[in-house]
Amino acid sequence: MLADQSRAIAQQVDDAERVATSLLRSGFFAFEQGSWEQATTRLDTGLALAREQGNELLQARFLGNLAIVQHVQGQLEKAIALYRQNIDTFERLGSPMDVGRGYSNMGFSYQRMGDLEQAETAFRRALDSFKQVGEVREEGVAYLHLAEVALGRSDLALAREHCSRATQRFERVGFDLGIADVHRVHAGIAGQEGRWAVAERYLGEALTIYV
């Protein structure tokens, strides 16, 4: 009798996790289709279910996706609050890669708010997380974002330094799109310096890769 009850409980847990996982996928699909309200409803429902089951991994994933939905709608403070919960959960779970992604996304929200100081802090924390796991490409992406922040502050020497570090990592892993993004930042640097021919050359090199 007890064995039957245990199996029934286990089945209920498995069913709940399957439903939550399905909501995660369908919520992201609705997001990709631009159905923000539907995406939010599905993700909120899934988050509540994951919390009921005590599944922290699923909770973290729901929180991250809800934050993205809020970000694209311009609800940046809400997005940042959700990213903090997402990061805290992944830190408890010991997942530096996911922590780094959370900080990267949080940096985008701060950047969009115009808070470059907080954006820089978030991107540096992302970089530290990626270094923990030796994720070279993501290190390069973090340096690229730091270069964009430096460019936004018109700190052109620092922007160049970050671009150089990003390029080194992208070349190591053969990430051409990353190199194109670096060219785009170099174009912005040249533009601020009034070197329009150089800026145009960098943009042309970037477009050659993008296309």
Side-chain angles (χ1 to χ4, degrees), residues 43-168:
L43 293 171
D44 276 335
T45 302
L47 176 59
L49 188 56
R51 281 174 170 159
E52 285 178 15
Q53 298 301 315
N55 189 324
E56 285 202 301
L57 178 60
L58 274 177
Q59 288 176 50
R61 302 220 179 279
F62 277 113
L63 288 164
N65 282 323
L66 280 165
I68 292 170
V69 174
Q70 294 299 320
H71 175 92
V72 297
Q73 293 182 95
Q75 301 295 321
L76 302 178
E77 291 184 359
K78 290 182 180 178
I80 288 166
L82 288 164
Y83 282 132
R84 289 193 188 282
Q85 295 178 63
N86 164 267
I87 291 165
D88 288 345
T89 306
F90 276 127
E91 283 181 335
R92 284 197 303 274
L93 294 171
S95 181
M97 189 69 182
D98 289 303
V99 169
R101 287 171 177 155
Y103 275 124
S104 286
N105 288 331
M106 181 188 286
F108 293 141
S109 293
Y110 277 123
Q111 202 169 13
R112 188 172 171 185
M113 288 174 68
D115 191 338
L116 297 184
E117 182 176 350
Q118 290 289 353
E120 181 180 16
T121 297
F123 290 137
R124 286 191 180 280
R125 288 179 176 171
L127 177 60
D128 290 341
S129 295
F130 296 137
K131 284 182 175 179
Q132 284 183 42
V133 291
E135 183 55 54
V136 175
R137 192 180 92 165
E138 294 303 322
E139 287 178 28
V141 172
Y143 277 120
L144 172 68
H145 297 325
L146 287 167
E148 291 170 336
V149 170
L151 178 61
R153 289 173 164 166
S154 296
D155 188 340
L156 305 187
L158 184 58
R160 281 196 181 89
E161 181 181 332
H162 288 319
C163 280
S164 176
R165 292 177 176 175
T167 299
Q168 289 169 9

Side-chain angles (χ1 to χ4, degrees), residues 144 148 151 179-189 202-203 206 210:
L144 172 68
E148 291 170 336
L151 178 61
I179 291 172
D181 286 336
V182 171
H183 289 329
R184 175 178 51 77
V185 176
H186 274 302
I189 294 170
Y202 274 121
L203 284 175
Y210 288 141

